[in-house]
Amino acid sequence: MKQRRHAKFACPLVAGVDEVGRGPLAGPVVAAAVILAPRPLPRGLTDSKALSEADRDALDIKIRDRAIAWCVAEASVAEIDSINILQATLLAMRRAVAGLALRPTAVWVDGNRSPGITGPLRCVVGGDGQVPAISAASVIAKVARDRQMADLDAQFPGYGLAAHKGYGTPFHREALQRLGPTPIHRTSFAPVARAAGAGQRTLDLG
């Protein structure tokens, strides 16, 4: 869990929250919570998926430097497989908010699902493209997860994790069938379960 706090502030402490990594076949789900100062806002804030990697990286630096507080948290692959991806996503969001160095006066979450946070809460469908604090959370969560997947690619070569970040691309699915799942693959996801089953049958046939 990572966080940042500025010593001085004079604005409502509204935290924007977003997640990245619900759909991939591998890796954790990562959430971020960000409390932005009202101005100056980093230029170019929007949904992280609409930005280039270079723009996300540049914004990531500005957000972490200018935010009143921020926190990046995650739910592990083991937690995803144990409690399902939706509940793991909500867990990561709760951890991100709990990890803020300042207690927010309100929390605005991207989407229509409440993570079960105590206090004033607003769910905003499409908030990552509309609400600056949620956009900021979207950006730093994605940058953090993308970098983590690049590191995992070095540990588990052959799957292309640095390129597709764990999503179920044709290359990734073919590698799963050929190499079998790794400890960072989500066995509760059907393509991974099928690959694991195929490997077990091959082993049984000896």
Side-chain angles (χ1 to χ4, degrees):
M1 186 177 291
K2 304 174 183 179
Q3 61 180 345
R4 165 69 182 268
R5 172 182 173 176
H6 277 210
K8 296 181 180 179
F9 59 91
C11 64
L13 302 180
V14 178
V17 181
D18 200 8
E19 55 74 29
V20 64
R22 285 185 63 174
L25 306 180
V29 60
V30 174
V34 177
I35 301 175
L36 287 176
R39 61 178 64 87
L41 291 174
R43 289 186 179 182
L45 273 179
T46 188
D47 177 7
S48 63
K49 298 185 291 297
L51 298 168
S52 69
E53 181 177 359
D55 286 342
R56 285 194 300 268
D57 288 345
L59 271 172
D60 179 72
I61 295 171
K62 293 178 182 178
I63 292 164
R64 292 170 187 249
D65 182 59
R66 298 181 187 177
I68 292 171
W70 60 265
C71 180
V72 175
E74 66 180 52
S76 69
V77 170
E79 289 171 324
I80 291 169
D81 288 339
S82 174
I83 61 177
N84 76 46
I85 184 58
L86 173 59
Q87 295 305 317
T89 299
L90 301 180
L91 174 61
M93 288 181 169
R94 291 195 297 272
R95 286 173 173 167
V97 174
L100 288 169
L102 298 172
R103 184 179 179 88
T105 55
V107 175
W108 288 27
V109 179
D110 182 57
N112 61 1
R113 295 276 188 167
S114 168
I117 295 167
T118 301
L121 175 75
R122 180 177 178 182
C123 295
V124 185
V125 176
D128 49 5
Q130 303 174 42
V131 180
I134 298 178
S135 299
S138 170
V139 169
I140 68 170
K142 181 161 178 57
V143 170
R145 189 179 187 280
D146 284 359
R147 289 174 179 170
Q148 184 173 357
M149 295 309 294
D151 291 340
L152 289 171
D153 184 52
Q155 297 180 43
F156 302 98
Y159 296 87
L161 298 172
H164 53 63
K165 309 303 186 292
Y167 284 88
T169 63
F171 181 91
H172 191 187
R173 290 170 184 258
E174 186 279 329
L176 267 173
Q177 292 297 321
R178 177 168 44 87
L179 302 173
T182 71
I184 63 164
H185 278 95
R186 303 171 180 179
T187 56
S188 56
F189 281 41
V192 179
R194 286 195 295 269
Q200 183 62 50
R201 288 194 297 275
T202 301
L203 180 63
D204 290 343
L205 292 173

